[in-house]
Amino acid sequence: MSIHSSNGGKPKKRAIVLTDGEHYPAVTRDAIVELSSNYHVLAAVFIGGTEKIGSDADLARLGVPVVRGGNYLEAIQQAIQEYRADEVLDLSDEPVVGYRERFAIASVVLANGAVYTGADFRFSPPLAAASVSRPSISVIGTGKRIGKTAVGAFIARVLTEEFNPLVVTMGRGGPAQPELLLNTEVNITPEYLLSVSRQGRHASSDHFEDLLMSRVSTIGCRRCGGGMSGQTFFSNVHLGAQLSETIDADIVVFEGSGSSIPSVSTDARVLVIGAHQPVDYIRSYLGPYRVLTSDLVILTMCESPMADAAKIDEMYDAVRAIKPSCTVVKTVFRPRPIGDIQGKRVVITVTTPPAIVDVIKSHLESNYGCEVAGTSTRLSNRPLLREALSQFEAMKPDAVVTELKAAAVDVVTAWALERGIEVVYMDNEPIATEPGVDLAGEIVKLARSIKSLPKYKRTDS
C-alpha cells in the first residue's frame, strides 16, 4: 500500500526505520525528516545500544512511534505487520548490528514481504511476476545437486492419487518459450529424447525428467542468473504460469532451479535442503528467509557418508530453531529404474557423489535383480563420461541405467543406442528415514490445507 504526498506527487512507500542507541536521537530524527521526502515513515524499531540513549524520553524525540522488545527480530516483524510497511530503512550501524545480524534482519524483512534497505545495500523478496487461479505449490531449494527435481517429481506423483496436478519447471537449459508436454501425448523413450537432442534442444531438461518420472503433464521454462534471495535475472516462468491456466489441472507445482525461486505467487512452499550442505546455508545469509517462507522442509541425503548423524541432527535443529512450527522430514534417495532390469548386466551413470555409489549399486542389485558391472559418477562431465563409456564397452552390458540429467541423452543415450544397448532411465525416490514418518502423507496434507489466497504474493504498489 502507498500513500501519496500532499502535493499530489509520486506515491510514497510506507516505511519503518531501524535505529540504535549508538546514534543521538536528534541525528536520527533529522534523518527521518530527510527520508520523509520519499517515504512515509510510520515508526522506528529500536534494536539496542545504550551509549547515546539514556531513557525512553530520548526515543520520543524521534517524532514517530517506537517499537522495541527483547528480541529485535520479533520487534521488526511486529512493526512491519502493524504498520503494513513496504520497506525497512536501516539507520543503525556497528557495533549494535554487524554482517550476521543484518542477514538475519534481511531474512525476517523479506519473509514478511518487505524490502530491506541500508546505506549501501538493498534486499528485495523475489518478485512474483504472475499468479495462478488454482491451488499451487512451489518446490524450492538451497542449491544444486540436492535432489530438488527428484522431490518435485515425487510430489507430482503423490498428488495424482487425489488430484490432477500439473508441473511447471524452471531450468538453466529450459526452452526459449514455455514448452508443454502432455502425458497423454508424449511418450518419453530414449529414441524420442535423442531426436529432441539432435534438434539442438536440451533433452535432459527438468520438464522431460518430471514427465518421465511422474507421468504428470509438464511445462518447461528457463531462467538465467540467480540472486541471494532467489530472484532470477531472466525467466519466462510467468509465461509458463499463463500457459498452465489453459491446461486441465486442479493443482499446479512450480519447481525452482538451484537456489532460485519461481517468480510466481504460490499457496504453499516445500523447501529441499541437502543434509551434506554447510549448516550456515540454513542459519546464516538468506537461508532463514527460505525456511521462514516454507511450509514443509525435506532434508535429503540423510545418511553416511553424505552426512553423519550429528550433522543431520544439526541441520534439523537449525531449521526448527528458525521456524519451530515447520514440519521437517529426513530422507534418503534410492534409485527406481523406469524399466525392467531383472537378470540383466548393467552399467550406471549418475551425478551422485562417488561416496554414495555403493549404496546405489547394492540397492539396484538387491531390489531389482540385476548385476551392476560398472558405475560412473561423471554424468555432468562430458570428457570424463566418454572415458567411462569406453571402459564400459568391454564389460558387454545388456543395459545402461542412467539418471536423466546433464549428458544423459546426447552422450549416454547416443552411445548406447549406437551399440544396441538398452537404455533405462532412473528416478531417485525420496524415502523418509524415521519410523512412522509418512512423506507422501505430509505432501497430501499440505495440498489439502491450501487456502485460496496466496501467502507469498509480493506487492509493490
Side-chain angles (χ1 to χ4, degrees), residues 235-272:
S235 169
N236 60 6
V237 177
H238 63 290
L239 298 178
Q242 292 175 14
L243 179 57
S244 76
E245 294 285 83
T246 69
I247 309 304
D248 179 27
D250 56 23
I251 189 167
V252 185
V253 178
F254 288 91
E255 194 177 289
S257 171
S259 60
S260 293
I261 298 173
S263 54
V264 179
S265 297
T266 61
D267 298 303
R269 279 184 180 170
V270 176
L271 174 62
V272 182

Short mmCIF file of all heavy atoms in Angstrom, two decimals, residues 235-272:
data_model
loop_
_atom_site.label_atom_id
_atom_site.label_comp_id
_atom_site.label_asym_id
_atom_site.label_seq_id
_atom_site.Cartn_x
_atom_site.Cartn_y
_atom_site.Cartn_z
N SER A 235 13.79 -14.82 -16.67
CA SER A 235 12.98 -16.02 -16.56
C SER A 235 11.73 -15.87 -17.40
O SER A 235 11.21 -14.76 -17.58
CB SER A 235 12.59 -16.26 -15.09
OG SER A 235 11.61 -17.26 -15.00
N ASN A 236 11.23 -16.98 -17.93
CA ASN A 236 9.94 -16.95 -18.62
C ASN A 236 8.89 -17.79 -17.88
O ASN A 236 7.91 -18.24 -18.46
CB ASN A 236 10.08 -17.43 -20.08
CG ASN A 236 10.61 -18.85 -20.20
OD1 ASN A 236 10.79 -19.56 -19.20
ND2 ASN A 236 10.87 -19.28 -21.42
N VAL A 237 9.11 -17.99 -16.57
CA VAL A 237 8.18 -18.78 -15.77
C VAL A 237 6.80 -18.12 -15.72
O VAL A 237 5.78 -18.82 -15.66
CB VAL A 237 8.74 -19.00 -14.36
CG1 VAL A 237 7.73 -19.75 -13.49
CG2 VAL A 237 10.03 -19.78 -14.42
N HIS A 238 6.76 -16.79 -15.75
CA HIS A 238 5.45 -16.13 -15.73
C HIS A 238 4.64 -16.51 -16.97
O HIS A 238 3.40 -16.61 -16.90
CB HIS A 238 5.62 -14.61 -15.64
CG HIS A 238 6.33 -14.00 -16.80
ND1 HIS A 238 7.68 -14.19 -17.04
CD2 HIS A 238 5.88 -13.20 -17.82
CE1 HIS A 238 8.03 -13.54 -18.13
NE2 HIS A 238 6.96 -12.93 -18.63
N LEU A 239 5.32 -16.75 -18.08
CA LEU A 239 4.62 -17.19 -19.29
C LEU A 239 4.16 -18.64 -19.13
O LEU A 239 3.10 -19.03 -19.61
CB LEU A 239 5.53 -17.06 -20.51
CG LEU A 239 5.98 -15.63 -20.84
CD1 LEU A 239 6.92 -15.63 -22.05
CD2 LEU A 239 4.78 -14.73 -21.11
N GLY A 240 4.99 -19.44 -18.44
CA GLY A 240 4.58 -20.80 -18.13
C GLY A 240 3.36 -20.83 -17.24
O GLY A 240 2.48 -21.69 -17.39
N ALA A 241 3.30 -19.89 -16.30
CA ALA A 241 2.13 -19.80 -15.42
C ALA A 241 0.87 -19.46 -16.24
O ALA A 241 -0.21 -20.02 -16.01
CB ALA A 241 2.36 -18.75 -14.34
N GLN A 242 1.03 -18.55 -17.18
CA GLN A 242 -0.11 -18.20 -18.04
C GLN A 242 -0.56 -19.40 -18.86
O GLN A 242 -1.76 -19.67 -18.99
CB GLN A 242 0.29 -17.05 -18.97
CG GLN A 242 0.53 -15.73 -18.26
CD GLN A 242 1.04 -14.65 -19.20
OE1 GLN A 242 0.98 -14.78 -20.43
NE2 GLN A 242 1.56 -13.57 -18.64
N LEU A 243 0.39 -20.16 -19.40
CA LEU A 243 0.06 -21.34 -20.18
C LEU A 243 -0.64 -22.38 -19.32
O LEU A 243 -1.55 -23.09 -19.78
CB LEU A 243 1.33 -21.93 -20.81
CG LEU A 243 1.19 -23.20 -21.64
CD1 LEU A 243 0.20 -23.00 -22.79
CD2 LEU A 243 2.55 -23.65 -22.17
N SER A 244 -0.23 -22.50 -18.07
CA SER A 244 -0.83 -23.50 -17.17
C SER A 244 -2.31 -23.28 -16.98
O SER A 244 -3.06 -24.23 -16.72
CB SER A 244 -0.11 -23.50 -15.81
OG SER A 244 -0.50 -22.39 -15.02
N GLU A 245 -2.75 -22.03 -17.11
CA GLU A 245 -4.17 -21.72 -16.92
C GLU A 245 -5.04 -22.35 -18.01
O GLU A 245 -6.25 -22.48 -17.85
CB GLU A 245 -4.38 -20.20 -16.92
CG GLU A 245 -3.74 -19.47 -15.75
CD GLU A 245 -4.51 -19.67 -14.46
OE1 GLU A 245 -4.30 -20.71 -13.79
OE2 GLU A 245 -5.34 -18.81 -14.11
N THR A 246 -4.44 -22.74 -19.13
CA THR A 246 -5.20 -23.32 -20.24
C THR A 246 -5.24 -24.84 -20.18
O THR A 246 -5.88 -25.47 -21.03
CB THR A 246 -4.58 -22.89 -21.59
OG1 THR A 246 -3.29 -23.52 -21.75
CG2 THR A 246 -4.40 -21.38 -21.66
N ILE A 247 -4.55 -25.43 -19.19
CA ILE A 247 -4.43 -26.89 -19.12
C ILE A 247 -5.37 -27.43 -18.04
O ILE A 247 -5.56 -26.82 -16.99
CB ILE A 247 -2.98 -27.30 -18.78
CG1 ILE A 247 -1.99 -26.60 -19.73
CG2 ILE A 247 -2.83 -28.81 -18.87
CD1 ILE A 247 -2.26 -26.82 -21.19
N ASP A 248 -5.95 -28.58 -18.30
CA ASP A 248 -6.84 -29.22 -17.34
C ASP A 248 -6.03 -29.73 -16.15
O ASP A 248 -5.27 -30.69 -16.26
CB ASP A 248 -7.57 -30.38 -18.02
CG ASP A 248 -8.51 -31.11 -17.07
OD1 ASP A 248 -8.98 -30.48 -16.11
OD2 ASP A 248 -8.75 -32.33 -17.27
N ALA A 249 -6.17 -29.07 -15.02
CA ALA A 249 -5.47 -29.45 -13.79
C ALA A 249 -6.18 -28.79 -12.62
O ALA A 249 -6.86 -27.78 -12.79
CB ALA A 249 -4.00 -29.01 -13.84
N ASP A 250 -6.01 -29.36 -11.42
CA ASP A 250 -6.61 -28.72 -10.25
C ASP A 250 -5.59 -28.31 -9.20
O ASP A 250 -5.93 -27.77 -8.16
CB ASP A 250 -7.69 -29.62 -9.62
CG ASP A 250 -7.18 -31.01 -9.26
OD1 ASP A 250 -5.96 -31.17 -9.08
OD2 ASP A 250 -8.01 -31.93 -9.17
N ILE A 251 -4.31 -28.56 -9.48
CA ILE A 251 -3.24 -28.07 -8.61
C ILE A 251 -1.97 -27.97 -9.46
O ILE A 251 -1.72 -28.83 -10.31
CB ILE A 251 -3.01 -28.98 -7.38
CG1 ILE A 251 -2.04 -28.32 -6.39
CG2 ILE A 251 -2.56 -30.37 -7.78
CD1 ILE A 251 -2.02 -29.00 -5.03
N VAL A 252 -1.19 -26.90 -9.26
CA VAL A 252 0.00 -26.66 -10.08
C VAL A 252 1.23 -26.66 -9.18
O VAL A 252 1.25 -25.98 -8.14
CB VAL A 252 -0.09 -25.32 -10.85
CG1 VAL A 252 1.10 -25.17 -11.79
CG2 VAL A 252 -1.40 -25.23 -11.63
N VAL A 253 2.23 -27.43 -9.57
CA VAL A 253 3.50 -27.50 -8.85
C VAL A 253 4.55 -26.73 -9.64
O VAL A 253 4.85 -27.07 -10.79
CB VAL A 253 3.96 -28.95 -8.65
CG1 VAL A 253 5.31 -29.00 -7.92
CG2 VAL A 253 2.91 -29.75 -7.88
N PHE A 254 5.11 -25.67 -9.03
CA PHE A 254 6.16 -24.88 -9.66
C PHE A 254 7.50 -25.30 -9.05
O PHE A 254 7.69 -25.21 -7.84
CB PHE A 254 5.93 -23.39 -9.44
CG PHE A 254 4.79 -22.83 -10.24
CD1 PHE A 254 3.51 -22.80 -9.71
CD2 PHE A 254 4.98 -22.34 -11.52
CE1 PHE A 254 2.44 -22.30 -10.43
CE2 PHE A 254 3.93 -21.83 -12.26
CZ PHE A 254 2.65 -21.81 -11.72
N GLU A 255 8.40 -25.74 -9.91
CA GLU A 255 9.68 -26.28 -9.44
C GLU A 255 10.80 -25.27 -9.67
O GLU A 255 10.98 -24.78 -10.78
CB GLU A 255 9.96 -27.56 -10.21
CG GLU A 255 11.06 -28.43 -9.64
CD GLU A 255 11.19 -29.70 -10.46
OE1 GLU A 255 10.29 -30.56 -10.37
OE2 GLU A 255 12.19 -29.82 -11.19
N GLY A 256 11.52 -24.94 -8.62
CA GLY A 256 12.62 -23.99 -8.71
C GLY A 256 13.83 -24.60 -9.38
O GLY A 256 13.83 -25.75 -9.83
N SER A 257 14.91 -23.81 -9.42
CA SER A 257 16.15 -24.24 -10.08
C SER A 257 17.32 -23.81 -9.21
O SER A 257 17.49 -22.62 -8.95
CB SER A 257 16.25 -23.60 -11.47
OG SER A 257 17.51 -23.82 -12.04
N GLY A 258 18.13 -24.77 -8.77
CA GLY A 258 19.20 -24.43 -7.84
C GLY A 258 18.60 -23.78 -6.60
O GLY A 258 17.69 -24.32 -5.97
N SER A 259 19.09 -22.60 -6.25
CA SER A 259 18.50 -21.87 -5.12
C SER A 259 17.57 -20.76 -5.60
O SER A 259 17.11 -19.95 -4.79
CB SER A 259 19.61 -21.27 -4.24
OG SER A 259 20.41 -20.38 -5.00
N SER A 260 17.28 -20.74 -6.90
CA SER A 260 16.38 -19.73 -7.45
C SER A 260 14.92 -20.16 -7.30
O SER A 260 14.60 -21.35 -7.40
CB SER A 260 16.68 -19.47 -8.93
OG SER A 260 17.95 -18.87 -9.07
N ILE A 261 14.06 -19.18 -7.07
CA ILE A 261 12.66 -19.42 -6.77
C ILE A 261 11.79 -19.00 -7.95
O ILE A 261 12.01 -17.93 -8.52
CB ILE A 261 12.26 -18.63 -5.50
CG1 ILE A 261 13.08 -19.12 -4.30
CG2 ILE A 261 10.77 -18.75 -5.22
CD1 ILE A 261 12.89 -18.30 -3.04
N PRO A 262 10.82 -19.81 -8.34
CA PRO A 262 9.93 -19.41 -9.44
C PRO A 262 9.24 -18.08 -9.13
O PRO A 262 8.79 -17.85 -8.01
CB PRO A 262 8.91 -20.55 -9.50
CG PRO A 262 9.60 -21.72 -8.89
CD PRO A 262 10.48 -21.14 -7.82
N SER A 263 9.19 -17.21 -10.12
CA SER A 263 8.62 -15.87 -9.93
C SER A 263 7.10 -15.89 -10.05
O SER A 263 6.51 -15.18 -10.85
CB SER A 263 9.23 -14.89 -10.94
OG SER A 263 9.06 -15.40 -12.26
N VAL A 264 6.48 -16.74 -9.23
CA VAL A 264 5.04 -16.92 -9.25
C VAL A 264 4.53 -17.01 -7.82
O VAL A 264 5.15 -17.68 -6.98
CB VAL A 264 4.65 -18.21 -10.01
CG1 VAL A 264 3.15 -18.41 -10.01
CG2 VAL A 264 5.18 -18.18 -11.44
N SER A 265 3.43 -16.33 -7.53
CA SER A 265 2.81 -16.45 -6.21
C SER A 265 2.24 -17.85 -6.06
O SER A 265 1.52 -18.32 -6.94
CB SER A 265 1.68 -15.44 -6.06
OG SER A 265 2.15 -14.12 -6.14
N THR A 266 2.58 -18.52 -4.97
CA THR A 266 2.00 -19.84 -4.72
C THR A 266 1.40 -19.90 -3.33
O THR A 266 1.72 -19.10 -2.46
CB THR A 266 3.06 -20.95 -4.88
OG1 THR A 266 4.12 -20.74 -3.93
CG2 THR A 266 3.63 -20.98 -6.28
N ASP A 267 0.53 -20.88 -3.13
CA ASP A 267 -0.17 -21.02 -1.87
C ASP A 267 0.66 -21.71 -0.79
O ASP A 267 0.36 -21.60 0.39
CB ASP A 267 -1.47 -21.81 -2.08
CG ASP A 267 -2.41 -21.12 -3.04
OD1 ASP A 267 -2.78 -19.97 -2.78
OD2 ASP A 267 -2.77 -21.72 -4.06
N ALA A 268 1.66 -22.46 -1.20
CA ALA A 268 2.50 -23.18 -0.24
C ALA A 268 3.87 -23.39 -0.84
O ALA A 268 4.05 -23.33 -2.06
CB ALA A 268 1.86 -24.52 0.12
N ARG A 269 4.84 -23.62 0.05
CA ARG A 269 6.21 -23.89 -0.39
C ARG A 269 6.75 -25.14 0.29
O ARG A 269 6.55 -25.35 1.49
CB ARG A 269 7.14 -22.72 -0.06
CG ARG A 269 7.07 -21.57 -1.06
CD ARG A 269 8.08 -20.51 -0.71
NE ARG A 269 8.02 -19.40 -1.68
CZ ARG A 269 8.66 -18.26 -1.54
NH1 ARG A 269 9.41 -18.06 -0.48
NH2 ARG A 269 8.56 -17.32 -2.46
N VAL A 270 7.47 -25.93 -0.50
CA VAL A 270 8.24 -27.05 0.02
C VAL A 270 9.71 -26.71 -0.21
O VAL A 270 10.12 -26.40 -1.33
CB VAL A 270 7.88 -28.37 -0.70
CG1 VAL A 270 8.77 -29.50 -0.21
CG2 VAL A 270 6.41 -28.71 -0.50
N LEU A 271 10.50 -26.76 0.84
CA LEU A 271 11.93 -26.43 0.77
C LEU A 271 12.74 -27.71 0.85
O LEU A 271 12.57 -28.52 1.76
CB LEU A 271 12.30 -25.50 1.92
CG LEU A 271 13.80 -25.16 2.07
CD1 LEU A 271 14.32 -24.43 0.84
CD2 LEU A 271 14.03 -24.32 3.33
N VAL A 272 13.66 -27.88 -0.11
CA VAL A 272 14.55 -29.04 -0.14
C VAL A 272 15.95 -28.59 0.28
O VAL A 272 16.51 -27.66 -0.30
CB VAL A 272 14.59 -29.67 -1.54
CG1 VAL A 272 15.49 -30.91 -1.55
CG2 VAL A 272 13.18 -30.03 -2.01
#
